[in-house]
Amino acid sequence: MSISVLRAGLLTTVQDKGRFGYRKEGVIVGGAMDLFALRIANLLVGNEEGKAALEVTLMGPSILFETETLISICGGNLTPSVGGKELPLWRPVYIQAGQMLEFGACQSGARAYVAIAGGIEVPEVMQSRSTYLRAGLGGLEGRALKEGDKLYNGTLTERSAAYMEYMASNAGSQPFQAADWYVGDRQFPAYAKNPVIRVLRGREFEWFTEESQETFFTAPFRVTSQSDRMGYRLKGTKLDLKAEKEVVSEAVTFGTIQVPAEGDPIILMADCQTVGGYPKIAQVVSMDLPVLAQVKPGTTVQFKEVSLQEAEDLYIWKEMEFGKMAKGIELFLSNI
Amino acid sequence: MPDITMKEKWGYEVSPLGDTSVIVQFGTGINEVSHRNVLALTSYFEEHPFPGMIEIVPAFTTVTIFYDPMKLYDPFPVEERKRTSVGSPYDTVCSILERIVPKLDRTVRETERVIHIPVCYGGELGPDLDEVARSHHMTADEVIEIHSGQEYLVYMIGFAPGFPYLGGMSERIATPRRRSPRMAIPAGAVGIGGSQTGIYPISTPGGWQIIGRTPLRLFRPEHQTPSLLKAGDKVRFQPIGLDQYKEWNEDQL
């Protein structure tokens, strides 16, 4: 199967779950900003959850499917359509050969994930297919997709192939056929336009003035336009240190909230550097990272403190729920 | 070492970096003792990763351990978890550390590597060399002599893939960063930023004073260990001429 890119969109990249094991060499993790949506999208087309898919940002691309394909779009609703008809999210969709996938207005969220049965087949670099833009590695030639690009998928699992055949037989002459079952929003992370994000206190939380500590958990912060896959720059009440103090550079990670001297916090995102030297006021709990990934510039976020125990319980419980959901999806795909 | 108490010798602090990693801190200052502890713990976990460990990141005074909480939590269902510390993935990692840290082998390794980095100083490849020399009332050759006349310690790799944080540059050639950063510094550029020196492994914007360039590739994504240097290595700069720079190939390392 192959797909052609007719229009690139704002920023469309190949992403998987990220590149692990190389942070000590300065290589970032990268990977999908919204890992929940990526994993579900893959499962819905019968892939393993970590296969490479397309991450589409705010303004989507136009993609031509040269052969019939089984896809799933999850995450933000950027109004995907095929043959002029809107495509439903969070379910498997069979697409006829020669059809074009387009995107319209960004109705909710900021990033959509397009998973394709078999996964997107690009060379693995350091054990991952994620695009590492700054180093020009991974994904398709280490860059965002552009007009004229061609992508291929990998070998379909038996489950994908069987489900695609089943959907094809139901599609008739329609441009696409969407499954009548889907992952419901009860299962979603707490996606919201202006979300409350749960955080743990950072290692340098106590370095901030009491006023700033309180402000951080009570005042809203605006996500500025200087926000990308590396980090979100926030604006709000300035956060001050009790005394000027330097952090000796150490590891940072997706969700670390650091505050440079000028007092505006930065939330580090999927493409963040491996080490940082600014005071860390907080760390976003893993389960709320997908929520942040779907936040648009111009909206606001608020932070709520949770304990490590709560964060760990949440993590374990959500992952168990995810496991059950994965089993459910498997059942729906095989039950044809 | 009679003056070093046990606390200073083994002293470390552990704190969570979120719900999937812990930071182990050895002392607060950038020095050889902290560094040796960092290296000892890093090499221990490189050789003996525990089940559920994803990766480790050594830095100046810390080692950060990333792990998969699902492989480290107590297998009893969450509902039945009592509000005690039992069962927490973080606590599991802490107890592994308690067992390991006091037994770490902190001796300096025989296998310590000294990597020679050939550098073509000045000219087009080192456009800021003259400026650095002028600001210290030296000749360009004197700056080269100081810069290449000593060994540097790789404290950690970060900022960019394969970028070494080097310790030990002489304060005599410490030079503030450029007032306006360059949009693109080429891969291989050797620079001075304040009292640090470093090598840019990939082309990136940057504000350091560029005094030369190495033909070596510091970041080689096709290698099993993509970074040429790693924490704990010693580095020596070796001046080469422009002709040597141009004719350099990887085999000469």
Side-chain angles (χ1 to χ4, degrees):
Chain A
M1 281 186 232
S2 67
I3 59 172
S4 286
V5 179
L6 303 184
R7 262 185 0 176
L10 183 64
L11 177 70
T12 307
T13 55
V14 176
Q15 299 292 347
D16 59 16
K17 285 169 88 175
R19 193 166 272 118
F20 292 93
Y22 299 93
R23 276 191 259 205
K24 63 173 179 289
E25 304 192 52
V27 175
I28 65 167
V29 175
M33 292 273 274
D34 181 346
L35 276 170
F36 177 83
L38 173 91
R39 293 165 74 192
I40 293 287
N42 271 320
L43 292 174
L44 286 169
V45 294
N47 290 349
E48 285 165 40
E49 62 170 48
K51 285 278 181 187
L54 294 181
E55 181 180 273
V56 168
T57 319
L58 294 169
M59 281 158 39
S62 300
I63 293 167
L64 179 72
F65 294 94
E66 283 160 358
T67 45
E68 57 169 0
T69 316
L70 184 66
I71 71 163
S72 177
I73 305 181
C74 298
N77 187 353
L78 313 190
T79 323
S81 66
V82 167
K85 212 175 131 202
E86 207 170 316
L87 208 78
L89 304 182
W90 301 101
R91 68 188 82 204
V93 182
Y94 168 79
I95 313 264
Q96 301 271 18
Q99 290 297 327
M100 188 167 66
L101 169 65
E102 292 176 286
F103 289 85
C106 182
Q107 295 179 44
S108 68
R111 293 173 172 86
Y113 294 82
V114 185
I116 295 170
I120 289 173
E121 195 62 26
V122 289
E124 269 198 348
V125 181
M126 292 177 272
Q127 299 176 59
S128 165
R129 296 188 166 87
S130 286
T131 312
Y132 183 177
L133 292 169
R134 196 171 155 210
L137 297 173
L140 184 69
E141 297 169 3
R143 58 170 172 78
L145 297 193
K146 62 177 199 222
E147 195 186 313
D149 282 342
K150 230 177 183 14
L151 288 164
Y152 299 88
N153 68 341
T155 315
L156 270 61
T157 60
E158 259 174 57
R159 191 179 300 131
S160 299
Y163 197 74
M164 190 163 92
E165 198 181 319
Y166 164 75
M167 294 290 273
S169 65
N170 289 344
S173 58
Q174 300 167 77
F176 69 86
Q177 172 74 26
D180 54 5
W181 55 276
Y182 53 90
V183 173
D185 54 11
R186 272 187 310 126
Q187 314 279 1
F188 291 175
Y191 293 135
K193 192 171 175 227
N194 299 300
V196 175
I197 300 291
R198 287 166 290 192
V199 299
L200 296 170
R201 286 184 182 202
R203 255 159 74 80
E204 286 79 44
F205 182 80
E206 304 289 337
W207 292 17
F208 291 87
T209 62
E210 259 148 53
E211 204 188 332
S212 288
Q213 292 181 11
E214 206 195 308
T215 302
F216 183 72
F217 289 124
T218 48
F221 289 88
R222 188 169 51 82
V223 178
T224 69
S225 57
Q226 281 178 290
S227 297
D228 57 20
R229 284 186 46 90
M230 282 177 79
Y232 291 178
R233 281 172 182 273
L234 307 182
K235 270 263 187 248
T237 315
K238 300 264 183 199
L239 303 172
D240 302 313
L241 294 176
K242 286 173 187 157
E244 215 170 288
K245 219 168 158 185
E246 269 186 36
V247 180
V248 177
S249 284
E250 63 186 25
V252 290
T253 191
F254 193 176
T256 302
I257 306 178
Q258 55 180 28
V259 185
E262 91 269 358
D264 292 319
I266 299 172
I267 313 179
L268 300 181
M269 300 299 285
D271 275 356
C272 69
Q273 289 177 19
T274 54
V275 292
Y278 294 121
K280 299 176 283 295
I281 194 165
Q283 174 72 39
V284 177
V285 305
S286 297
M287 289 302 147
D288 282 351
L289 293 173
V291 178
L292 267 182
Q294 296 297 352
V295 159
K296 266 193 277 284
T299 56
T300 60
V301 292
Q302 233 174 303
F303 299 107
K304 178 177 176 249
E305 185 180 4
V306 294
S307 68
L308 178 61
Q309 179 102 53
E310 286 173 276
E312 290 189 318
D313 279 357
L314 183 69
Y315 189 105
I316 292 160
W317 179 66
K318 283 281 188 190
E319 273 303 306
M320 284 178 159
E321 287 292 301
F322 193 95
K324 284 184 212 158
M325 196 165 33
K327 282 272 183 298
I329 291 171
E330 224 171 89
L331 240 123
F332 272 97
L333 287 176
S334 342
N335 217 348
I336 47 178
Chain B
M1 287 184 283
D3 291 327
I4 294 178
T5 65
M6 284 299 281
K7 167 104 178 95
E8 281 168 322
K9 202 170 170 194
W10 310 132
Y12 69 98
E13 275 172 36
V14 185
S15 51
L17 175 65
D19 47 26
T20 59
S21 46
V22 302
I23 299 188
V24 186
Q25 174 148 17
F26 295 101
T28 49
I30 301 175
N31 57 54
E32 287 267 351
V33 177
S34 302
H35 178 67
R36 206 164 303 152
N37 279 302
V38 165
L39 285 188
L41 188 61
T42 302
S43 61
Y44 180 86
F45 278 136
E46 271 170 0
E47 283 155 35
H48 316 277
F50 57 86
M53 187 184 107
I54 295 172
E55 59 184 312
I56 44 177
V57 181
F60 289 110
T61 61
T62 58
V63 177
T64 301
I65 305 161
F66 292 89
Y67 56 84
D68 177 356
M70 297 309 282
K71 299 213 170 94
L72 290 160
Y73 79 97
D74 188 296
F76 292 111
V78 175
E79 299 87 71
E80 288 173 36
R81 249 175 87 182
K82 295 277 179 285
R83 292 282 141 179
T84 62
S85 53
V86 182
S88 150
Y90 173 75
D91 289 341
T92 309
V93 179
C94 286
S95 62
I96 293 171
L97 286 165
E98 266 163 47
R99 246 186 13 246
I100 286 162
V101 175
K103 292 191 228 148
L104 287 177
D105 174 14
R106 292 166 173 82
T107 48
V108 181
R109 310 198 149 233
E110 299 279 316
T111 53
E112 190 173 85
R113 305 191 302 174
V114 180
I115 312 261
H116 290 260
I117 309 263
V119 179
C120 177
Y121 287 97
E124 257 176 56
L125 302 180
D128 301 328
L129 177 66
D130 290 336
E131 182 54 37
V132 169
R134 207 168 322 149
S135 72
H136 294 288
H137 310 288
M138 288 181 194
T139 64
D141 283 344
E142 283 171 312
V143 174
I144 296 171
E145 209 182 298
I146 294 168
H147 192 258
S148 62
Q150 63 174 111
E151 253 174 29
Y152 298 86
L153 173 63
V154 179
Y155 274 106
M156 63 174 187
I157 306 291
F159 167 68
F163 181 91
Y165 284 80
L166 297 175
M169 192 183 76
S170 166
E171 283 297 328
R172 286 156 65 206
I173 53 172
T175 316
R177 286 151 207 248
R178 289 168 54 86
R179 293 177 75 97
S180 71
R182 288 193 172 88
M183 290 306 287
I185 289 176
V190 175
I192 292 175
S195 45
Q196 289 194 77
T197 184
I199 313 151
Y200 284 83
I202 59 171
S203 175
T204 143
W208 286 23
Q209 308 279 357
I210 304 306
I211 59 170
R213 202 186 300 178
T214 176
L216 287 190
R217 287 170 67 216
L218 271 83
F219 179 60
R220 312 148 306 168
E222 73 283 4
H223 281 231
Q224 192 129 38
T225 48
S227 178
L228 176 69
L229 302 172
K230 62 175 188 161
D233 283 345
K234 295 277 169 67
V235 162
R236 214 169 232 289
F237 295 108
Q238 176 194 332
I240 57 168
L242 189 58
D243 291 344
Q244 265 175 297
Y245 174 86
K246 284 179 178 160
E247 284 157 21
W248 198 273
N249 61 59
E250 294 278 303
D251 305 333
Q252 277 174 269
L253 180 62

